[in-house]
Amino acid sequence: MNRLGSFCMTLVALAWLGNAIYAWGAPDGLLKRYSPALVASSMITFAILHGSNQWGMRRVLSFAVTIFSFGWFFETVSITTGFPFGNYSYGENMWPFFGHVPVAVMPAYWVMAYVCWSLALLLRKRIDGPMDRNFMIGVPVIGALLMVVWDLSMDPLRAIAEQRWHWHDGGPYFGVPLTNFLGWFFVTWSMFQVFAILVRQTGRDAPSRIAIDNRKYWFSVPLMYLAFPIEYLLNPVFARALGNSNLHSVDAISPTVYFEIALITLLTMVPIAFGAMARLHQSSQPTQALEKLLILPEADG
């Protein structure tokens, strides 16, 4: 059990390293091109390993199918109709495509969705069941909000600074329309809500085989949520150190996006992750106190 927690933490460290390297790399350079492979492989392995030990491999696969299906469907609908995210299109630098949607988008949906789902379980204190109303309603809503918070930092960087996609009508948030965030909440909530229903149909209680005392296993969840913020927070640091040479010159706003997004990340994703770690620490205290009460009488005897 301890080895599993340590391996999860190692995967977190590799994801952090990959995103730190990405922030360090110059535009169109080798570091920017190949470091995402380290991040993706670490996070995919984490989702499979962490999820299978909590839910079982069958539910991990059903979660992946749910995320892939909903993600690809709504991305396709929005690109062709503008609903629910808004009017946008992907750039050629996102090749290869499956229809109108880049292939790389779906794994990114899946791994971050798993992290946000698990983080919602922590925040709602449902990591070991039961599957009550708090689980069925609270966890999907919180999970979707966590995905929106991530998108607040991610979307401007990828769309404005890196031009991976283009918003045709613009918007008030770094050129991103507010409909994007409303649509993002709706789509991710739908994913999580469907998965919650599927989980409950296959059993009343979560088949978690990992106890709350395995702190590394559960602490790895909020730490993995911070994997992308590592990049967002380091972008302005490396930009300043390199004399802004790794900033795009797309338009007048792009050089300041890195600094502003770092501040937004610092005020949103970072405190959420630390709050989850604090809640996890507090929830483990009664168990530790009970263990002391059970051990002390034996020592006195």
Side-chain angles (χ1 to χ4, degrees):
M1 187 178 292
N2 290 330
R3 291 177 61 185
L4 174 62
S6 298
F7 191 45
C8 288
M9 296 293 279
T10 300
L11 293 171
V12 170
L14 291 174
W16 280 36
L17 176 61
N19 278 319
I21 293 173
Y22 187 85
W24 184 25
D28 302 321
L30 292 178
L31 294 181
K32 274 276 196 290
R33 184 177 305 173
Y34 294 109
S35 58
L38 176 60
V39 179
S41 59
S42 300
M43 295 190 73
I44 290 173
T45 304
F46 177 86
I48 295 174
L49 179 68
H50 196 280
S52 61
N53 278 276
Q54 184 191 6
W55 298 101
M57 184 56 71
R58 181 179 178 182
R59 284 176 171 171
V60 170
L61 292 176
S62 67
F63 185 80
V65 170
T66 301
I67 301 302
F68 276 55
S69 301
F70 274 73
W72 184 86
F73 174 78
F74 281 109
E75 287 271 355
T76 301
V77 171
S78 191
I79 290 172
T80 55
T81 70
F83 175 85
F85 303 118
N87 293 303
Y88 69 100
S89 58
Y90 284 101
E92 291 299 323
N93 56 352
M94 292 293 287
W95 185 88
F97 289 83
F98 180 62
H100 297 288
V101 184
V103 173
V105 167
M106 294 303 101
Y109 264 52
W110 172 47
V111 294
M112 201 59 181
Y114 176 77
V115 172
C116 289
W117 168 268
S118 300
L119 191 56
L121 290 174
L122 277 176
L123 293 171
R124 300 305 299 171
K125 298 183 178 179
R126 285 298 179 273
I127 60 177
D128 56 352
M131 295 183 187
D132 54 8
R133 181 176 298 181
N134 199 348
F135 174 88
M136 294 299 299
I137 299 176
V139 171
V141 170
I142 297 299
L145 290 173
L146 293 171
M147 291 286 282
V148 172
V149 170
W150 171 51
D151 198 45
L152 289 173
S153 296
M154 180 270 294
D155 206 290
L157 286 176
R158 303 301 182 237
I160 304 303
E162 299 181 358
Q163 292 191 309
R164 296 191 185 187
W165 52 86
H166 173 67
W167 292 101
H168 299 167
D169 303 321
Y173 185 76
F174 298 100
V176 180
L178 298 182
T179 53
N180 170 65
F181 303 107
L182 295 175
W184 188 243
F185 175 83
F186 168 72
V187 171
T188 54
W189 168 80
S190 299
M191 297 172 177
F192 293 142
Q193 192 64 67
V194 169
F195 180 68
I197 294 172
L198 292 174
V199 167
R200 189 169 187 177
Q201 287 179 343
T202 57
R204 291 287 300 179
D205 297 315
S208 175
R209 298 188 294 273
I210 303 300
I212 188 64
D213 295 330
N214 190 345
R215 299 178 67 184
K216 287 183 179 180
Y217 175 87
W218 285 109
F219 268 107
S220 66
V221 172
L223 289 175
M224 187 60 89
Y225 187 69
L226 292 175
F228 284 110
I230 292 300
E231 175 208 336
Y232 308 154
L233 295 173
L234 288 178
N235 275 330
V237 176
F238 287 127
R240 183 180 295 274
L242 297 174
N244 292 342
S245 63
N246 67 333
L247 291 176
H248 288 261
S249 299
V250 177
D251 50 40
I253 193 175
S254 60
T256 64
V257 166
Y258 289 91
F259 297 92
E260 294 169 347
I261 293 302
L263 179 60
I264 292 172
T265 303
L266 193 62
L267 296 176
T268 55
M269 296 185 73
V270 173
I272 287 173
F274 276 94
M277 287 186 280
R279 172 158 291 192
L280 180 59
H281 176 72
Q282 292 171 359
S283 66
S284 67
Q285 296 307 307
T287 302
Q288 295 172 358
L290 180 60
E291 290 176 350
K292 291 180 180 179
L293 288 175
L294 294 175
I295 293 173
L296 285 177
E298 295 180 0
D300 293 338

